[in-house]
Amino acid sequence: MSLRDVVIYTSEILRKPNAEVTVFDDELKNLTDDMLETMYKHEGIGLAGPQIAVNKKIVVIDIPDENGEQGKNPLVIINPKITKLEGEIVDSQEGCLSVPGYQDTVQRYERCTVEYQNLKGEHCVFDNVDGLFAICLQHEIDHLEGKVFVDKLSRLKRERLHKKYEKYLKELN
Ligand code: CO
């Protein structure tokens, strides 16, 4: 396993189209191991392919248990598709490993149904899930559509963040 660099907003890599995964082999398993390692290292609960500059429809998620611990239930979610959004629109306090040091409130659906494939290529479904998991799924699947959670904020906030992170990116390079 190896750590990957996290792509930082406002990089265009986060906006590129992401390809469907068609080959379910050891290489894919190694890639998702790297994604999980990178996510844990940065104390994230989810990470999408484009966030490590792999423009493919791959997401990893690990929602902490009631003791705040991760690692017991790492999920690898390939080619996910939201097939249903249900329930109330809820306020969700979010951050993103690609937008380090920033959190804000965005709106999400309370529940969702997601069809996906596992590492073996088998078709699976998260049926009408809720809570943090449902919100995390929506956040990560947005990444696969080239969206970042800050896109949901007001224009004023977006412009301010864009400037701030563009400057930050330049300083990093
Ligand atoms: Co994110």
Side-chain angles (χ1 to χ4, degrees):
M1 286 206 284
S2 53
L3 274 180
R4 305 288 188 109
D5 288 335
V6 175
V7 174
I8 303 297
Y9 174 79
T10 59
S11 169
E12 280 304 310
I13 295 168
L14 297 172
R15 304 306 189 180
K16 285 189 188 170
N18 295 291
E20 292 259 324
V21 173
T22 54
V23 180
F24 297 82
D25 58 3
D26 285 348
E27 202 179 313
L28 179 65
K29 167 80 169 89
N30 292 337
L31 173 63
T32 58
D33 282 346
D34 285 357
M35 287 176 69
L36 283 165
E37 190 186 350
T38 304
M39 179 184 80
Y40 290 136
K41 155 90 180 163
H42 294 278
E43 296 177 1
I45 61 171
L47 189 73
Q51 293 185 274
I52 57 155
V54 174
N55 284 105
K56 291 182 181 175
K57 293 190 190 296
I58 306 172
V59 162
V60 294
I61 289 178
D62 192 338
I63 303 293
D65 66 15
E66 58 276 12
N67 302 315
E69 278 176 37
Q70 285 179 298
K72 285 173 193 151
N73 190 26
L75 296 170
V76 174
I77 303 160
I78 312 287
N79 300 329
K81 217 183 288 162
I82 294 180
T83 55
K84 250 189 225 166
L85 289 164
E86 290 176 282
E88 311 259 309
I89 307 285
V90 292
D91 280 345
S92 164
Q93 174 81 10
E94 296 186 15
C96 179
L97 296 187
S98 294
V99 192
Y102 189 76
Q103 290 200 335
D104 212 329
T105 304
V106 295
Q107 276 73 48
R108 300 281 182 195
Y109 281 87
E110 198 177 11
R111 300 194 305 274
C112 63
T113 295
V114 172
E115 292 179 6
Y116 69 102
Q117 284 168 280
N118 64 16
L119 271 175
K120 294 178 195 160
E122 294 163 341
H123 290 268
C124 311
V125 62
F126 298 119
D127 192 13
N128 202 15
V129 295
D130 61 8
L132 184 55
F133 182 42
I135 280 166
C136 190
L137 280 167
Q138 292 169 64
H139 177 120
E140 299 310 329
I141 293 170
D142 271 357
H143 277 300
L144 301 184
E145 288 164 11
K147 298 181 210 158
V148 181
F149 85 102
V150 296
D151 300 345
K152 291 169 146 314
L153 300 172
S154 71
R155 189 172 151 186
L156 192 70
K157 277 186 180 174
R158 276 186 281 124
E159 284 175 354
R160 210 176 59 211
L161 285 168
H162 199 274
K163 267 190 207 137
K164 179 181 158 186
Y165 281 92
E166 215 159 41
K167 190 163 161 250
Y168 176 67
L169 257 187
K170 272 191 198 131
E171 284 164 4
L172 279 183
N173 294 326

